[in-house]
């Protein structure tokens, strides 16, 4: 729906149902709301557009700093970073944190198949030396708000190369085959030290842009 500001120059104003109301029948508050809501919308859109442009500038500056630092460390400056990184000014009163989120999702079928294999592993493995693995498996498949913790799942996968148990390996295979990685997202946080010496974030809400 295209937003149009209705003014005193219009003989009729159109309401939300499409009915035309004569201008001389409008109340003062209706006229005032029309003017002020339209003005606030335009100002907020301008701020949002400006913030989007600023986010691009922050991204560009951070990427340049990262490349220069990699060059100084004799590393490949063109290789994208795999984790998070942070920049400070000279006296460390300004901090810019760059966080890269690479979420991993597992299909419901993969989780169910993996759980069956791991359950059989638990049933067949009774040695006390592997008791901690049973606890790790149960913990990994415990859900919170309907989702498993990817970190705990990866902990199970890290032991795949260290075991010869077929059920454990098949459980890991099911998880690996049923995992997907949606596109990564980068978050920027700009902070400064306040009078108490603590870092205080500048609220920019970049994540919504």
């Amino acid at each position: 729906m295209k937003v149009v500001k209705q003014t005193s120059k219009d003989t009729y104003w159109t309401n939300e149902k499409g009915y035309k109301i004569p201008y001389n029948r409008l109340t003062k508050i209706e006229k005032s709301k029309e003017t002020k809501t339209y003005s606030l919308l335009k100002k907020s859109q301008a701020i949002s557009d400006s913030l989007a442009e600023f986010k691009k500038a922050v991204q560009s500056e951070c990427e340049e700093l990262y490349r220069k630092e990699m060059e100084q460390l004799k590393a490949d400056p063109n290789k994208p970073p795999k984790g998070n990184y942070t920049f400070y000014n000279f006296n460390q009163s300004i901090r810019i944190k760059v966080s890269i989120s690479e979420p991993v999702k597992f299909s419901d079928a993969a989780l169910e198949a993996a759980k069956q294999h791991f359950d059989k592993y638990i049933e067949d493995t009774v040695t006390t030396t592997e008791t901690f693995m049973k606890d790790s498996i149960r913990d990994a498949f415990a859900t919170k708000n309907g989702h498993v913790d990817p970190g705990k799942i990866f902990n199970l996968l890290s032991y795949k190369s260290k075991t010869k148990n077929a059920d454990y390996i098949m459980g890991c295979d099911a998880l690996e085959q049923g995992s997907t990685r949606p596109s990564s997202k980068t978050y920027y946080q700009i902070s400064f030290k306040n009078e108490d010496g603590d870092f205080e974030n500048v609220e920019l809400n970049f994540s919504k842009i």
Side-chain angles (χ1 to χ4, degrees):
M1 179 179 180
K2 185 178 180 181
V3 178
V4 178
K5 180 183 179 183
Q6 302 183 91
T7 69
S8 59
K9 295 180 180 179
D10 300 313
T11 305
Y12 296 92
W13 280 18
T14 305
N15 67 13
E16 72 280 4
K17 293 182 179 180
Y19 299 153
K20 293 186 178 298
I21 310 300
Y23 179 78
N24 58 13
R25 288 180 54 188
L26 301 173
T27 65
K28 288 183 178 181
I29 187 63
E30 285 174 330
K31 297 173 184 177
S32 181
K33 286 179 179 179
E34 182 73 10
T35 300
K36 293 186 180 301
T37 56
Y38 187 84
S39 174
L40 290 172
L41 171 65
K42 288 302 179 182
K43 288 177 181 178
S44 64
Q45 288 176 330
I47 291 172
S48 179
D49 291 342
S50 177
L51 190 59
E53 287 300 314
F54 180 61
K55 181 181 180 180
K56 291 179 183 179
V58 170
Q59 178 181 359
S60 177
E61 296 288 356
C62 287
E63 289 176 351
E64 183 181 355
L65 285 172
Y66 176 82
R67 285 194 299 269
K68 288 182 176 179
E69 190 159 23
M70 288 299 100
E71 289 173 354
Q72 181 176 301
L73 295 171
K74 309 298 183 184
D76 184 356
N78 298 313
K79 188 175 182 180
K82 289 293 184 181
N84 306 331
Y85 54 97
T86 306
F87 300 116
Y88 295 90
N89 66 329
F90 191 69
N91 66 4
Q92 299 203 1
S93 60
I94 301 172
R95 181 183 68 190
I96 299 178
K97 295 177 70 174
V98 183
S99 304
I100 302 173
S101 174
E102 295 183 297
V104 178
K105 293 185 177 180
F106 299 94
S107 70
D108 292 338
L111 288 171
E112 178 58 32
K115 190 174 185 305
Q116 290 181 18
H117 290 304
F118 284 122
D119 283 345
K120 191 167 187 309
Y121 164 76
I122 290 175
E123 291 173 7
D124 297 342
T125 306
V126 293
T127 60
T128 56
T129 56
E130 295 192 358
T131 300
F132 78 98
M133 285 304 303
K134 299 176 185 179
D135 294 335
S136 297
I137 290 169
R138 292 191 179 102
D139 194 30
F141 284 93
T143 59
K144 184 177 182 181
N145 297 324
H147 301 285
V148 296
D149 184 339
K152 294 177 180 179
I153 294 292
F154 281 122
N155 183 54
L156 297 183
L157 294 175
S158 68
Y159 288 97
K160 179 182 177 181
S161 61
K162 301 174 183 178
T163 183
K164 294 182 179 179
N165 184 281
D167 290 309
Y168 193 98
I169 293 173
M170 285 190 289
C172 290
D173 288 342
L175 291 172
E176 290 172 344
Q177 292 170 19
S179 66
T180 57
R181 288 181 178 270
S183 58
S184 63
K185 192 166 185 179
T186 304
Y187 299 89
Y188 303 93
Q189 185 183 82
I190 302 175
S191 311
F192 63 95
K193 276 189 178 179
N194 58 25
E195 294 180 355
D196 296 325
D198 299 320
F199 277 105
E200 186 175 325
N201 297 334
V202 178
E203 297 300 332
L204 295 169
N205 206 20
F206 278 161
S207 61
K208 300 299 182 182
I209 299 176

